[in-house]
Amino acid sequence: MSIESVDMDRALTSASYAQQVLRSGKVSAEQKGQLAAKWGSDNVNQWLSVDSTKYEIDDVSYDAAKDAGKNAAKDSTGYDGGKNYSSVGSAGMAVVSTAAAGVEMAATGLTGAVSMSGQGSLGFSGVCMYTAAALCIANATKYWLENPNKEQVNAANDLKNNDLPQAMASLNEAQGIMEEASEEVTELTEEAEDINEDANKKIEEDKTMFDFYKQQYDALKAKKERGEQLTPDEQALMKQLAPMMEDLNEGITTLSEDTSEQVNDLNDDIGEYQEVFDESAETIAEVEGVTEYAENFDEHTRTMCYVEGTAQTLNAVTGGWASAKLMAGGPWQWALAIATGVAAASSTVAAGQQFSRAKEVSEEIDLRQETQDLNSLTTDMYDEELDNYAGNVETVEDLELEIPEDMELPEENENASIITIASKSKEEDNLMTNDKEEDDEKFKQNKDEDEKKKTV
């Protein structure tokens, strides 16, 4: 999740968000101090050095995805990625042709503009003129037979028009997916934190009530053990306290089990997002394969286009000079002069074609470099979001329920004695009532007998 600005209220209530803002580098020293005070210095230091390596895609899968991207680009362009050196041969022929013509040439820049002056060491002999014409025709013919750099340039154009735009779209999509996944994981983590915190609060409240009941129970028990008679109200209270404590104990146990189940379910949900980051890493690897494939030949191809364009320019200039000399030599040389002139003209066209191709490849190189820059940004985002993911996983795994240990319930025989005491008290009351009734009956019978004696 990209952190644009720090929400300190959220950072002070959510451990998962706190560690993300810490790793974002956008917290001030004062804010870092607040977070350390809230979450502890040890936790802050741990969050800053979170280890996400165990969540990274493995090298085998990454390399396989990279190869897949490279092979897909090869299949898409129909080019195996090899380099073409035929332009070097063309340049060599052009230089020989120029030397044979005895023309000293100076190329100006990469435009193919050439000036010529001087006679050269061989002079304007007929032999040199014929040699220059022959080489000019041969070089031009060779060019149109081989059409150097065509396959590489076509591949570069395919990359520029199809593969690279698709690669950039995939990277942008991967960034969006990772950011959305990170936000969802953070929400799941905060939900787990809230559930765990609410459970701990409830457990604390129930423990407070349990201690209150236990204190009353122990006081009544101590009074009984001292031999003091409990009042009926005290006996009734003592009888009620034990099951109330038992209910609290069972409630804490149930709450603990339910909370653990909910947190575990959320942890499982978070674990499913591992696949999202793996897929993003595979996208990064595939794009790297595409750009690596392109980089293997595109800059070399552009250079060869310039070399070939320059060679064809030299060939055109030399052929033009040879054609002019042949035309001036008489009708019997005109056929060769025309052929040489045509060759020179075709070399001019070829030179323009090569320089145009160099421009096309330059456009592909610019887009390839832009794609590489975007891939680098996506990789940085992947590393950042993977750290966030690892931190969230660890946050949920480290959640603990504060289960109290001192929740000993009254023993069963104590509960039984309470019931016995209560029952005995009731029986004694009944016996006292029965005795009184019997005494009253006897008194009445004795009184009746006395009355009869007096009458007699």
Side-chain angles (χ1 to χ4, degrees):
M1 181 173 63
S2 178
I3 304 296
E4 299 298 332
S5 60
V6 178
D7 183 349
M8 281 303 294
D9 290 337
R10 184 179 179 185
L12 292 173
T13 56
S14 168
S16 59
Y17 179 76
Q19 55 186 301
Q20 290 182 42
V21 299
L22 281 167
R23 287 193 295 272
S24 73
K26 296 184 178 180
V27 295
S28 64
E30 181 182 357
Q31 290 172 327
K32 184 177 179 181
Q34 289 179 295
L35 295 175
K38 168 63 178 179
W39 303 108
S41 298
D42 291 342
N43 281 332
V44 167
N45 292 332
Q46 180 183 350
W47 293 340
L48 287 171
S49 59
V50 64
D51 182 11
S52 61
T53 54
K54 64 180 178 180
Y55 301 104
E56 293 176 356
I57 187 173
D58 61 88
D59 293 339
V60 174
S61 298
Y62 188 91
D63 291 341
K66 182 177 176 180
D67 289 340
K70 186 178 298 185
N71 292 330
K74 288 181 180 180
D75 292 340
S76 174
T77 62
Y79 177 59
D80 64 2
K83 295 179 179 178
N84 179 23
Y85 294 93
S86 64
S87 295
V88 177
S90 296
M93 289 183 65
V95 171
V96 171
S97 177
T98 303
V103 179
E104 184 180 326
M105 315 190 73
T108 59
L110 294 176
T111 62
V114 179
S115 65
M116 59 181 182
S117 63
Q119 181 175 343
S121 60
L122 297 179
F124 296 120
S125 68
V127 174
C128 293
M129 180 176 61
Y130 289 129
T131 302
L135 289 174
C136 174
I137 294 171
N139 197 9
T141 302
K142 179 177 181 292
Y143 176 86
W144 295 109
L145 287 174
E146 294 182 354
N147 203 348
N149 305 315
K150 177 182 179 181
E151 188 177 10
Q152 291 85 348
V153 173
N154 286 342
N157 283 329
D158 283 341
L159 287 167
K160 178 181 66 178
N161 296 325
N162 300 307
D163 299 83
L164 292 176
Q166 290 175 7
M168 295 186 74
S170 296
L171 291 173
N172 286 321
E173 182 181 10
Q175 287 187 13
I177 291 173
M178 283 192 291
E179 185 171 7
E180 182 179 356
S182 185
E183 291 176 352
E184 291 174 357
V185 168
T186 299
E187 290 175 359
L188 291 172
T189 303
E190 291 179 341
E191 183 179 352
E193 289 179 291
D194 291 341
I195 291 173
N196 192 78
E197 184 180 1
D198 291 343
N200 279 329
K201 286 182 179 178
K202 176 61 176 172
I203 290 173
E204 184 180 5
E205 292 172 358
D206 288 352
K207 178 61 167 61
T208 300
M209 291 301 299
F210 182 92
D211 291 342
F212 176 70
Y213 294 156
K214 186 73 163 55
Q215 185 179 13
Q216 294 183 74
Y217 180 87
D218 289 343
L220 293 172
K221 178 182 176 183
K223 180 178 179 180
K224 173 176 168 292
E225 289 176 346
R226 290 194 302 267
E228 299 180 23
Q229 184 68 35
L230 298 180
T231 66
D233 287 343
E234 289 175 331
Q235 293 174 10
L237 176 60
M238 193 173 184
K239 182 179 179 181
Q240 293 172 353
L241 288 173
M244 290 168 68
M245 285 188 289
E246 185 174 359
D247 287 344
L248 288 172
N249 190 303
E250 291 177 354
I252 290 176
T253 300
T254 301
L255 178 60
S256 174
E257 292 173 351
D258 291 344
T259 301
S260 297
E261 183 178 354
Q262 292 179 64
V263 171
N264 286 335
D265 288 343
L266 289 170
N267 191 44
D268 291 340
D269 291 341
I270 291 173
E272 294 178 0
Y273 283 87
Q274 173 72 54
E275 185 178 353
V276 173
F277 294 102
D278 287 346
E279 290 175 352
S280 296
E282 289 175 357
T283 298
I284 292 170
E286 289 172 358
V287 173
E288 184 179 347
V290 173
T291 56
E292 188 175 282
Y293 158 78
E295 190 174 15
N296 186 59
F297 72 89
D298 58 8
E299 291 187 1
H300 176 81
T301 297
R302 179 172 62 181
T303 299
M304 290 298 99
C305 286
Y306 284 133
V307 168
E308 185 68 39
T310 301
Q312 293 302 319
T313 299
L314 291 173
N315 200 56
V317 172
T318 303
W321 170 83
S323 178
K325 288 297 181 181
L326 289 167
M327 287 294 292
W332 60 275
Q333 292 181 337
W334 288 354
L336 180 59
I338 293 172
T340 304
V342 171
S346 71
S347 287
T348 301
V349 174
Q353 185 181 64
Q354 288 297 314
F355 292 132
S356 177
R357 287 176 176 177
K359 181 180 178 182
E360 292 174 16
V361 178
S362 292
E363 293 173 352
E364 179 275 328
I365 291 173
D366 290 342
L367 185 58
R368 186 256 297 165
Q369 291 174 340
E370 185 179 346
T371 304
Q372 287 174 316
D373 290 341
L374 181 59
N375 205 20
S376 179
L377 290 174
T378 307
T379 301
D380 291 341
M381 181 178 182
Y382 168 78
D383 292 337
E384 179 183 353
E385 298 301 357
L386 197 65
D387 283 347
N388 291 336
Y389 177 74
N392 282 323
V393 171
E394 291 177 8
T395 295
V396 176
E397 290 178 346
D398 291 342
L399 290 176
E400 293 182 354
L401 286 173
E402 300 171 0
I403 306 298
E405 298 179 355
D406 54 338
M407 293 193 67
E408 183 179 357
L409 292 170
E411 296 180 3
E412 292 183 4
N413 58 347
E414 291 180 358
N415 293 334
S417 65
I418 296 171
I419 297 173
T420 300
I421 292 172
S423 300
K424 185 176 180 181
S425 299
K426 186 174 182 180
E427 290 175 359
E428 289 176 349
D429 291 341
N430 290 337
L431 287 174
M432 291 175 63
T433 301
N434 291 337
D435 290 343
K436 185 175 183 301
E437 290 177 352
E438 290 178 358
D439 291 342
D440 290 343
E441 184 64 26
K442 289 180 180 180
F443 177 79
K444 183 179 180 182
Q445 290 177 356
N446 291 334
K447 185 178 180 181
D448 291 340
E449 290 178 358
D450 289 340
E451 290 293 331
K452 289 180 180 178
K453 288 178 180 180
K454 287 180 181 180
T455 304
V456 174

